[in-house]
Amino acid sequence: RKEVEQDPGPFNVPEGATVAFNCTYSNSASQSFFWYRQDCRKEPKLLMSVYSSGNEDGRFTAQLNRASQYISLLIRDSKLSDSATYLCVVFSSNTGKLIFGQGTTLQVKP
Amino acid sequence: DAMVIQNPRYQVTQFGKPVTLSCSQTLNHNVMYWYQQKSSQAPKLLFHYYDKDFNNEADTPDNFQSRRPNTSFCFLDIRSPGLGDAAMYLCATSRDIGPGGYTFGSGTRLTVV
């Protein structure tokens, strides 16, 4: 079983749509959670951290459910520029490393 | 601007011919990482250096080696590249071991022919 699992998609949505991505992780000792964005053939870039109480950054909302070991990312009012792969990332202090999911690809169409 | 620079952006090598990928940083970070990312897969950590201390992941093939001659530079050596080693190789840095503050280079895309 992969340590971090995501539905690879692709998710094809029209501009203005709301889309949600999910992620599950297997290490219950995981402590920190992130969403990274990766454009085609580019490096991953931090999109946002995910906090237990949930957090929002503009059109992006991240949620964490520790009991279910589940993380989500909601994108409202999708823009063409949101087209990318979104990587769910988990950090555990017992391993001391970031573990990446394979990513969910989003394609926003006009 | 402080950053992580990888050279070259694209590298083509022959099957079995040793190849070296380069990473440099101006951030003065203690930790440097090498990740391998194959198409449509998650970045996979190969190894990292904390200062001069080398930490190899258990499942990293012996074919992959690394050198960090000083704080600024880190190299990935692939001794005998196979077709399965074709991937994007990402270098990242962080000030310390921890969840945040990672800076990634733009990657080197390796093709093996």
Side-chain angles (χ1 to χ4, degrees):
Chain A
R1 182 186 172 189
K2 294 177 185 175
E3 291 188 63
V4 180
E5 298 216 45
Q6 297 181 249
D7 178 352
F11 284 58
N12 294 300
V13 302
E15 269 187 293
T18 296
V19 62
F21 305 139
N22 303 320
C23 166
T24 57
Y25 60 95
S26 60
N27 185 350
S28 59
S30 299
Q31 297 175 306
S32 302
F33 309 90
F34 308 91
W35 285 100
Y36 275 68
R37 171 187 169 135
Q38 187 172 27
D39 292 298
C40 188
R41 296 179 177 267
K42 298 284 184 68
E43 73 274 24
K45 293 185 178 177
L46 179 65
L47 178 67
M48 61 195 299
S49 302
V50 186
Y51 302 117
S52 296
S53 54
N55 50 296
E56 192 173 299
D57 183 0
R59 297 180 293 109
F60 298 83
T61 301
Q63 298 276 356
L64 168 64
N65 184 322
R66 287 185 185 270
S68 302
Q69 295 180 200
Y70 169 96
I71 305 160
S72 66
L73 177 67
L74 182 78
I75 306 175
R76 291 183 299 278
D77 188 22
S78 300
K79 311 292 185 191
L80 295 176
S81 57
D82 293 334
S83 298
T85 296
Y86 291 84
L87 300 165
C88 177
V89 184
V90 170
F91 177 87
S92 302
S93 61
N94 62 347
T95 62
K97 58 186 180 182
L98 291 182
I99 303 296
F100 287 80
Q102 73 173 104
T104 298
T105 298
L106 171 67
Q107 186 68 41
V108 181
K109 299 192 179 295
Chain B
D1 286 349
M3 57 177 62
V4 178
I5 300 169
Q6 289 189 245
N7 285 307
R9 285 296 305 275
Y10 300 92
Q11 174 75 56
V12 180
T13 191
Q14 291 181 332
F15 183 95
K17 184 176 181 180
V19 65
T20 295
L21 308 183
S22 168
C23 177
S24 65
Q25 55 132 340
T26 59
L27 296 159
N28 205 33
H29 281 175
N30 292 312
V31 195
M32 295 187 78
Y33 308 83
W34 280 104
Y35 287 85
Q36 179 194 61
Q37 186 177 24
K38 296 185 179 180
S39 182
S40 300
Q41 295 187 22
K44 178 181 177 297
L45 183 64
L46 296 173
F47 25 59
H48 75 273
Y49 273 95
Y50 187 99
D51 195 13
K52 297 179 181 177
D53 293 333
F54 178 69
N55 297 271
N56 198 30
E57 293 300 302
D59 56 354
T60 298
D62 292 340
N63 199 24
F64 292 84
Q65 305 285 323
S66 186
R67 296 170 284 136
R68 189 178 185 185
N70 54 52
T71 301
S72 301
F73 284 88
C74 195
F75 300 99
L76 170 61
D77 300 309
I78 308 177
R79 292 192 298 189
S80 181
L83 298 178
D85 296 328
M88 169 84 94
Y89 290 87
L90 293 160
C91 175
T93 72
S94 64
R95 185 170 302 282
D96 280 297
I97 298 291
Y102 278 61
T103 302
F104 281 84
S106 52
T108 293
R109 184 165 294 277
L110 179 69
T111 300
V112 182
V113 297

